[in-house]
Amino acid sequence: MVKTLFGISVVRLLALSSSLLALISWASSLTLQDDRAAAWPYGPFLVSGTEMKNSQGDSIVYAGTNWDGHGEVMIPDGLQYQSVESVVSMIKSLGMNAIRLTYPIQLVDQIYDNGGKDTTVQSSFIQALGQTNGTKVYSQFLAKNPSFNTNTTRLQVFDAVAAERHSWFGDSDYNVANWVRGLTYMANHGKSWTALTSISLRNELRSPDNNATLKSESYNWRDWYTFIKQGSSAINAANSDILIFLSGLDFDTWITPMVQGTAMTPGTATYSAVDFPGYANKLVLEIHNYNNDATNCSSLQSTLYHDGFQAMHPEDSEAVNVLPVLLTEFGFEQTSTEWQRTYATCIANYLSQQKAGWFIWVISGSYYIRSGTQDYDETWGLLTHDWSAWRSQSYIDGGLKPLVENTAKG
Ligand SMILES: *[C@@H]1O[C@H](CO)[C@@H](O)[C@H](O)[C@H]1NC(C)=O
Ligand SMILES: *[C@@H]1O[C@H](CO)[C@@H](O)[C@H](O)[C@H]1NC(C)=O
Ligand SMILES: *[C@@H]1O[C@H](CO)[C@@H](O)[C@H](O)[C@H]1NC(C)=O
Ligand SMILES: *[C@@H]1O[C@H](CO)[C@@H](O)[C@H](O)[C@H]1NC(C)=O
């Protein structure tokens, strides 16, 4: 279904546990896609040094956008305003080659609770927005997306699954077994997608501030490493063809112990490929950065470097483990001026220099519901409230398109 919907050949899944992520991608140019449609995307991908490569040995650099789907409705946002096809075609018009779709693990939990069956989008809208608004927004969704109908399930809309956003392994509302089960389910499910090439473990691991004991005893690199091994092993057992993205602590802002090979504190273990038997060459690192008030670009770039990008510098003796690193989230208010300030220009320069993959937050204009407010305006969204036009045309032309050019196509 997703394949048909997107009308393009490639679907990647990037599953994070706190909010699992799906990555949908197509060939980096239409010509390529047409010519190579039969074999695209040339999976499985592998990691070689600092690069992700397809099975033909070409390096792959993702240049894309996040698309939020882990809100209460549990389908990608904006579909009451625009069709899937039109959102995708706007993304493609930027030259981007990937989409990172977020989705909640809870979706898989509900499928298990429901005897293996997903619930319909219709009931999901009503559940999230209430009878009156849910019914209304669902009918707008159908009007914009006529290939869906009353039987359409959430998985059929974006075919992916995952987690909670604010918890840590072991929280009362966060269950490791369910997480592993969710990753396994999605890694398996994704086999039916033409080009599932990556899956991620968890989104933005946050400190479990609601549980001081858990926080002090477990929110650390030692336990992170334990769970990362479990999750990645489950994914690899379910589907050995996909890359596995690892994200670090503190909202995924840093993953330095993986890079520098230092102790996973308070333990003493260090990253070792033998802990990922047969699939260490599937591991990719990701970080997020939202230092929006930065005024000093060298300082921001130094932060990015030490938080993760150092892994792309084998010439640096401190980079004990060399791996590809992607900036899977960064973003800022879509005004005519914000993109010209230090944070945005500095990150764009950095990604271009590093030839690193990235995903901007976010292709959106509004959320079905966020923080309890329905039809919530996303001022950081690339699109206007009704998802019909770019919110900041000057950024699209002056900042975003050049960034795509300089990374994916550079
Ligand atoms: C339902 O939608 C209307 C706008 O269409 C909004 O004003 C109202 O707050 C929504 N109801 C709830 C419960 O959020
Ligand atoms: C929905 O499913 C039911 C039961 O399988 C079927 O009778 C009905 O025709 C379907 N509706 C649509 C619109 O496909
Ligand atoms: C807090 O964490 C501890 C240690 O994992 C756990 O035993 C306890 O049930 C948790 N309490 C709550 C309220 O989640
Ligand atoms: C900017 O950051 C660099 C590197 O951290 C530092 O050496 C420099 O002094 C800073 N410049 C200003 C103007 O603060």
Side-chain angles (χ1 to χ4, degrees):
M1 178 122 185
V2 165
K3 232 170 62 182
T4 324
L5 270 180
F6 284 85
I8 43 178
S9 44
V10 183
V11 179
R12 292 186 183 135
L13 170 73
L14 189 116
L16 297 190
S17 91
S18 265
S19 56
L20 285 186
L21 300 166
L23 189 64
I24 290 173
S25 180
W26 49 86
S28 53
S29 84
L30 282 172
T31 317
L32 274 185
Q33 182 191 328
D34 291 343
D35 290 347
R36 297 179 170 191
W40 171 259
Y42 293 103
F45 287 5
L46 282 179
V47 163
S48 168
T50 64
E51 296 187 313
M52 305 188 331
K53 297 201 160 183
N54 68 15
S55 60
Q56 299 201 307
D58 305 321
S59 43
I60 303 293
V61 177
Y62 295 151
T65 178
N66 288 275
W67 187 351
D68 187 78
H70 66 263
E72 285 90 328
V73 182
M74 303 193 200
I75 64 166
D77 270 292
L79 299 178
Q80 82 279 44
Y81 286 123
Q82 301 295 335
S83 65
V84 171
E85 292 85 344
S86 72
V87 176
V88 169
S89 84
M90 288 191 84
I91 296 169
K92 287 174 73 173
S93 76
L94 300 170
M96 285 178 167
N97 63 9
I99 301 173
R100 181 172 178 258
L101 264 183
T102 65
Y103 61 92
I105 277 278
Q106 211 188 340
L107 179 57
V108 178
D109 293 346
Q110 291 176 354
I111 290 172
Y112 275 93
D113 289 346
N114 194 30
K117 273 179 55 194
D118 191 10
T119 53
T120 63
V121 174
Q122 182 172 25
S123 68
S124 194
F125 268 116
I126 290 167
Q127 184 70 33
L129 307 181
Q131 187 71 42
T132 308
N133 284 6
T135 304
K136 185 175 119 205
V137 178
Y138 169 69
S139 68
Q140 292 166 343
F141 159 86
L142 276 189
K144 286 290 175 188
N145 293 275
S147 64
F148 295 133
N149 63 50
T150 168
N151 293 333
T152 301
T153 64
R154 297 169 302 179
L155 261 188
Q156 285 174 320
V157 176
F158 81 155
D159 234 49
V161 175
E164 306 232 339
R165 296 197 70 179
H166 303 276
S167 43
W168 174 246
F169 304 96
D171 260 12
S172 53
D173 58 349
Y174 189 81
N175 177 304
V176 175
N178 287 14
W179 172 64
V180 170
R181 179 178 75 174
L183 292 173
T184 301
Y185 184 96
M186 288 312 302
N188 258 319
H189 185 77
K191 284 180 180 168
S192 65
W193 293 13
T194 308
L196 175 71
T197 57
S198 350
I199 188 164
S200 176
L201 289 176
R202 291 195 65 141
N203 193 35
E204 297 199 343
L205 292 161
R206 297 172 193 200
S207 172
D209 291 329
N210 57 346
N211 188 333
T213 311
L214 182 64
K215 181 175 175 172
S216 70
E217 289 176 356
S218 178
Y219 189 70
N220 56 46
W221 288 106
R222 177 197 60 206
D223 287 16
W224 177 88
Y225 195 59
T226 301
F227 294 124
I228 289 302
K229 284 186 285 186
Q230 270 185 47
S232 60
S233 167
I235 289 170
N236 188 253
N239 184 341
S240 59
D241 281 350
I242 46 186
L243 296 180
I244 302 170
F245 279 40
L246 307 184
S247 60
L249 294 186
D250 299 319
F251 295 70
D252 188 21
T253 51
W254 63 301
I255 198 157
T256 315
M258 278 292 295
V259 180
Q260 299 188 348
T262 49
M264 298 290 169
T265 55
T268 54
T270 56
Y271 165 74
S272 169
V274 300
D275 292 333
F276 304 85
Y279 62 95
N281 64 348
K282 296 287 184 178
L283 304 181
V284 174
L285 306 183
E286 59 173 317
I287 60 170
H288 295 176
N289 183 285
Y290 287 108
N291 293 357
N292 294 68
D293 292 327
T295 52
N296 181 337
C297 181
S298 16
S299 157
L300 175 57
Q301 295 195 348
S302 160
T303 299
L304 290 166
Y305 187 80
H306 290 104
D307 286 348
F309 282 96
Q310 187 176 33
M312 291 181 54
H313 291 270
E315 77 282 2
D316 182 342
S317 61
E318 219 177 29
V320 170
N321 301 309
V322 171
L323 292 154
V325 185
L326 280 81
L327 187 63
T328 51
E329 280 190 34
F330 72 100
F332 45 89
E333 193 133 24
Q334 291 297 303
T335 64
S336 59
T337 51
E338 190 64 20
W339 66 272
Q340 304 186 61
R341 297 206 313 135
T342 303
Y343 169 78
T345 54
C346 187
I347 282 191
N349 289 339
Y350 193 68
L351 294 171
S352 303
Q353 277 163 30
Q354 307 288 315
K355 301 291 177 215
W358 53 273
F359 292 88
I360 194 168
W361 186 269
V362 58
I363 189 82
S364 183
S366 52
Y367 301 107
Y368 300 122
I369 180 169
R370 194 180 206 195
S371 308
T373 301
Q374 298 191 10
D375 201 24
Y376 186 103
D377 192 48
E378 172 55 287
T379 58
W380 287 27
L382 297 173
L383 298 169
T384 51
H385 188 93
D386 67 357
W387 293 60
S388 65
W390 302 118
R391 205 174 268 257
S392 170
Q393 187 70 50
S394 64
Y395 172 55
I396 297 299
D397 297 334
L400 193 55
K401 283 181 176 171
L403 178 57
V404 172
E405 282 290 321
N406 292 335
T407 49
K409 293 174 187 169

